[in-house]
């Protein structure tokens, strides 16, 4: 799979939304004995948002803070008596509809560390007070226990420590990409507590952070396909209540309360994922229940482009200072409405039918649900915008965004491994008038022209959500043959040498389109390019392109032809 061309448009909006980011996590709440305080109360401020730390040698690994010393002076201290429980709660983003905690694919262990507050976490001061990896009885990772419990977890504070103020370092380690060095994702956050009733006279010596993990430690470098019962949790031994250390990977001092499972009507054949449960728990997705069973035949071109994505970022300005600017529920509802009524292919799954033809199979009992969520970035959007010589915003610099925002990579849609075929992220920036809308879907579903039409229809549905009987003024044609006929008429030229394309596997020769479906739909997913390129056109340049290609055609059609020639 390749990421395609990432375009960035800056549009000034009024209060009404007009529409043409990864399932990470962060700590939001803390308290004692099951009772949580308000949002961020007693928490050390994070500079990462919900993005992970990957540098094992960085002091950011302590509390996900880039500040030194840690900014704890103004943090309220949560009272937690020794021997009683600290309660914490993680969330993907605050009150997320689609992914409340983090993606269920982010399997891995959870750990808790403790250090005297006066140390600011500096030096050999951290003791591990709890760890849990794979639970062989529940057949579940600690991360997934936390996900299933709405992000909540309780851990007991040791009894035999002195009274005083402490840092509690909470951590979830995601192993879904840990089969390569640097692939493990670490999600630490720190809580400030005051302990009373302790029986200890001195706090034990501990470990330094960074220093507890090495890139090739068995619990950091790990293939999630291995037997989970053999997994070794990384880091020092656990300090137990009696003052000794242990290698145990579970403890009766921590507990997860079971929550009632929501039964979903969309998949009767298997247990739904946590994402599906959360999504179907919201009435924003009710309209998908109206989708009827159907098969949409794919052309040879459709199947040949199955490993290619269309990924787009659109930047919007909240000119009216609307506090409810680009609300998630309206964007999600508008998306699902237009999909249910006009684009059911977006929630179907590709397969070869009994006649040997490639189709998108839309099964109402097993929909490929969209993944729609917010991403909060702790920096203003202006940090990633490049301006022209006259001071006007020219484009959004995605390279700079990935490097400095804490978002290491926006997710890419794929049909493999039951991932969503459509991913939407609303990126919200701190202290900024701008918000961004990111969408990723398979090129197999849309050509460049069809994608533009989809954005426009999505916007139209979203603007008219308050009118249940509203219908699109110009419904889409969805004629897949028209797409093939058009591209067949474009004369491709030899593309210039592009370094990033050198290692890509060649598309099979299509001599017999009638029987090519099994081969094309079995092509393995192509690796993502680490570099992305942005093409920015002025209006004048667009018009020049149109004149050069065919002055009788629209600008979008001319752009599609250009991309066909270049790519």
């Amino acid at each position: 799979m390749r990421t395609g061309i990432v375009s960035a448009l800056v549009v000034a909006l009024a209060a009404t939304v007009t529409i043409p980011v990864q399932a990470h996590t962060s700590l939001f709440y803390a308290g004692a004995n099951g009772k949580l305080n308000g949002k961020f109360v007693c928490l050390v401020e994070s500079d990462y948002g919900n993005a992970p730390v990957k540098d094992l040698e960085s002091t950011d690994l302590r509390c996900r803070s880039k500040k030194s010393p840690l900014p704890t002076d103004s943090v309220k201290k949560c009272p937690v008596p020794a021997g009683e429980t600290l309660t914490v709660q993680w969330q993907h983003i605050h009150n997320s509809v689609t992914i409340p905690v983090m993606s269920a694919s982010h399997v891995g262990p959870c750990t808790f560390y403790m250090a005297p507050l006066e140390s600011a976490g500096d030096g050999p001061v951290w003791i591990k007070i709890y760890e849990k990896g794979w639970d062989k009885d529940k057949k579940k990772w600690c991360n997934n226990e936390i996900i299933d419990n709405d992000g909540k977890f309780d851990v007991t504070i040791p009894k035999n420590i002195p009274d005083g103020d402490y840092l509690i370092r909470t951590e979830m380690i995601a192993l879904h990409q840990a089969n390569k060095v640097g692939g493990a994702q670490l999600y630490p956050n720190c809580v400030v507590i005051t302990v009373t009733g302790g029986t200890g006279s001195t706090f034990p010596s501990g470990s330094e952070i960074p220093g507890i993990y090495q890139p090739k430690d068995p619990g950091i470098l790990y293939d999630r396909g291995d037997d989970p019962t053999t997994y070794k949790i990384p880091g020092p031994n656990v300090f137990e209540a009696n003052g000794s250390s242990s290698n145990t990977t579970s403890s009766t001092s921590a507990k997860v309360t079971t929550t009632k499972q929501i039964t979903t009507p969309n998949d009767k054949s298997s247990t739904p994922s946590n994402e599906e449960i959360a999504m179907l728990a919201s009435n924003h997705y009710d309209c998908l229940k109206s989708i009827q069973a159907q098969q949409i035949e794919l052309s040879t071109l459709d199947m040949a482009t199955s490993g290619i994505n269309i990924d787009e970022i659109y930047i919007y300005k909240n000119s009216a200072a609307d506090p409810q600017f680009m609300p998630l529920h309206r964007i999600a509802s508008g998306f699902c409405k237009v999909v249910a009524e006009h684009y059911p292919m977006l929630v179907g799954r590709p397969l070869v039918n009994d006649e040997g033809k490639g189709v998108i199979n839309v099964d109402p009992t097993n929909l490929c649900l969209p993944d729609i969520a917010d991403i909060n970035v702790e920096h203003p959007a202006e940090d990633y915008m490049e301006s022209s010589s006259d001071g006007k915003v020219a484009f959004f610099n995605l390279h700079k965004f990935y490097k400095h925002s804490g978002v290491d990579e926006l997710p890419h849609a794929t049909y493999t491994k039951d991932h969503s075929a459509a991913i939407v992220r609303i990126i919200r920036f701190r202290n900024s008038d701008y918000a961004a809308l990111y969408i990723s879907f398979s090129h197999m579903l849309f050509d460049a022209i069809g994608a533009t039409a989809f954005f426009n229809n999505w916007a139209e549905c979203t603007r008219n959500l308050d009118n249940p009987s509203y219908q699109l003024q110009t419904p889409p044609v969805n004629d897949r043959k028209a797409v093939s006929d058009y591209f067949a008429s474009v004369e491709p030229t030899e593309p210039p040498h592009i370094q990033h394309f050198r290692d890509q596997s060649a598309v099979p020769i299509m001599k017999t389109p009638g029987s090519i479906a099994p081969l094309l739909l079995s092509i393995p997913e192509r690796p993502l390019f680490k570099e992305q390129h942005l093409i920015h056109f002025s209006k004048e340049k667009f018009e020049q392109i149109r004149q050069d290609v065919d002055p009788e055609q629209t600008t979008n059609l001319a752009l599609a032809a250009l991309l066909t020639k270049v790519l």
Side-chain angles (χ1 to χ4, degrees):
M1 180 180 70
R2 69 173 176 81
T3 57
I5 299 297
V6 180
S7 66
L9 306 178
V10 179
V11 183
L13 298 183
T16 303
V17 177
T18 58
I19 305 176
V21 156
Q22 309 143 348
H24 294 164
T25 195
S26 187
L27 202 67
F28 276 77
Y29 297 96
N33 297 317
K35 185 177 181 180
L36 296 171
N37 296 296
K39 179 182 174 183
F40 297 144
V41 173
C42 302
L43 302 189
V44 176
E45 183 180 3
S46 167
D47 294 314
Y48 279 71
N50 64 3
V53 178
K54 290 189 173 183
D55 185 354
L56 303 183
E57 297 181 356
S58 170
T59 55
D60 298 2
L61 193 62
R62 294 171 183 169
C63 301
R64 245 192 303 188
S65 172
K66 295 181 179 295
K67 299 177 179 64
S68 182
L70 288 173
T72 59
D73 290 346
S74 61
V75 179
K76 179 181 177 180
K77 303 174 182 67
C78 285
V80 184
E84 298 189 25
T85 57
L86 169 71
T87 301
V88 295
Q89 183 178 26
W90 287 269
Q91 292 186 359
H92 169 54
I93 51 98
H94 191 235
N95 295 332
S96 170
V97 174
T98 56
I99 304 176
V101 184
M102 71 192 306
S103 171
S105 66
H106 289 33
V107 300
C110 61
T111 65
F112 288 76
Y113 290 77
M114 187 175 192
L117 180 62
E118 63 182 4
S119 71
D122 192 21
V125 295
W126 293 95
I127 63 169
K128 184 189 286 186
I129 61 173
Y130 181 77
E131 65 178 17
K132 188 170 188 180
W134 173 262
D135 189 315
K136 63 180 181 180
D137 296 325
K138 297 180 180 179
K139 300 186 184 306
K140 189 178 294 186
W141 290 92
C142 182
N143 286 0
N144 297 91
E145 278 194 59
I146 293 171
I147 292 169
D148 292 345
N149 192 44
D150 196 29
K152 296 177 183 176
F153 204 85
D154 287 354
V155 64
T156 298
I157 300 302
K159 183 72 174 176
N160 57 330
I161 59 172
D163 291 351
D165 298 330
Y166 292 93
L167 287 167
I168 302 295
R169 178 182 179 272
T170 68
E171 180 180 56
M172 297 171 74
I173 303 177
L175 302 172
H176 59 295
Q177 296 177 345
N179 60 337
K180 59 183 181 297
V181 173
Q185 297 181 0
L186 293 88
Y187 297 89
N189 287 101
C190 289
V191 184
V192 179
I193 68 170
T194 296
V195 174
T196 56
T199 60
S201 57
T202 59
F203 191 79
S205 61
S207 302
E208 291 193 44
I209 300 178
I212 54 173
Y213 305 137
Q214 298 301 319
K216 294 186 178 180
D217 284 350
I220 295 294
L221 184 61
Y222 175 78
D223 190 330
R224 61 173 295 184
D226 292 346
D227 181 359
T229 62
T230 64
Y231 177 76
K232 177 177 174 58
I233 300 173
N237 295 338
V238 173
F239 173 82
E240 293 189 338
N242 60 10
S244 64
S245 295
S246 169
N247 278 320
T248 56
T249 58
S250 62
S251 169
T252 56
S253 65
K255 60 180 182 293
V256 174
T257 306
T258 304
T259 56
K260 183 178 180 181
Q261 186 177 24
I262 299 172
T263 303
T264 168
N266 109 302
D267 189 349
K268 300 175 182 178
S269 61
S270 62
T271 302
S273 69
N274 291 284
E275 290 94 331
E276 290 173 330
I277 293 171
M279 293 167 80
L280 290 167
S282 167
N283 58 12
H284 306 142
Y285 295 84
D286 282 349
C287 56
L288 294 179
K289 299 175 184 177
S290 65
I291 292 177
Q292 301 298 311
Q294 56 193 287
Q295 288 191 347
I296 302 167
E297 186 173 345
L298 297 169
S299 70
T300 302
L301 177 66
D302 293 329
M303 293 181 284
T305 57
S306 62
I308 301 175
N309 270 4
I310 295 178
D311 296 348
E312 303 282 352
I313 293 181
Y314 292 85
I315 311 295
Y316 298 98
K317 186 174 183 180
N318 184 6
S319 300
D322 181 4
Q324 299 300 318
F325 185 62
M326 295 185 70
L328 175 65
H329 69 279
R330 286 191 69 88
I331 291 176
S333 296
F335 185 92
C336 291
K337 179 177 173 63
V338 76
V339 166
E341 295 179 359
H342 301 288
Y343 296 94
M345 66 183 75
L346 270 172
V347 290
R349 301 176 191 272
L351 55 80
V352 179
N353 65 14
D354 295 339
E355 300 175 5
K357 295 180 178 179
V359 298
I360 293 289
N361 184 56
V362 182
D363 178 359
T365 68
N366 188 25
L367 296 177
C368 187
L369 292 171
D371 177 357
I372 307 174
D374 277 315
I375 293 177
N376 291 321
V377 175
E378 296 296 316
H379 303 277
E382 290 79 356
D383 286 359
Y384 317 111
M385 291 181 178
E386 304 294 343
S387 300
S388 56
S389 57
D390 59 3
K392 295 181 180 179
V393 175
F395 64 89
F396 185 79
N397 191 324
L398 192 62
H399 288 286
K400 188 181 292 185
F401 176 73
Y402 283 152
K403 187 174 182 179
H404 301 293
S405 69
V407 178
D408 56 351
E409 187 179 358
L410 291 166
H412 304 283
T414 171
Y415 277 120
T416 61
K417 302 177 183 176
D418 283 341
H419 290 178
S420 298
I423 295 176
V424 177
R425 292 291 182 268
I426 307 164
I427 307 173
R428 307 190 188 279
F429 302 93
R430 191 169 189 174
N431 300 324
S432 178
D433 292 333
Y434 293 94
L437 183 71
Y438 167 80
I439 182 167
S440 172
F441 43 54
S442 172
H443 202 310
M444 180 167 57
L445 305 178
F446 290 119
D447 58 281
I449 309 161
T452 302
F454 174 80
F455 292 140
N456 292 337
N457 293 331
W458 178 13
E460 188 178 333
C461 278
T462 303
R463 288 194 298 269
N464 294 280
L465 277 175
D466 298 329
N467 180 3
S469 61
Y470 182 83
Q471 297 294 318
L472 289 180
Q473 293 183 2
T474 307
V477 176
N478 287 334
D479 186 349
R480 310 305 296 165
K481 188 175 184 300
V483 177
S484 299
D485 290 346
Y486 167 71
F487 278 98
S489 67
V490 176
E491 189 70 29
T493 62
E494 184 68 21
H497 174 72
I498 301 176
Q499 179 71 28
H500 298 298
F501 293 166
R502 176 182 290 176
D503 297 328
Q504 297 307 299
S505 57
V507 176
I509 298 173
M510 294 177 241
K511 292 183 177 179
T512 54
S515 61
I516 201 72
L519 176 61
L520 291 180
L521 291 182
S522 65
I523 294 176
E525 183 180 342
R526 299 176 179 90
L528 286 171
F529 297 140
K530 296 302 182 183
E531 295 291 330
Q532 299 185 22
H533 300 276
L534 181 144
I535 299 177
H536 177 69
F537 296 102
S538 64
K539 291 182 180 179
E540 293 76 18
K541 192 64 177 177
F542 260 130
E543 176 59 22
Q544 179 185 334
I545 293 170
R546 189 176 73 85
Q547 293 292 336
D548 290 344
V549 175
D550 185 347
E552 299 299 320
Q553 302 298 334
T554 65
T555 301
N556 284 332
L557 206 61
L559 177 61
L562 172 73
L563 296 181
T564 303
K565 286 176 177 289
V566 173
L567 300 180

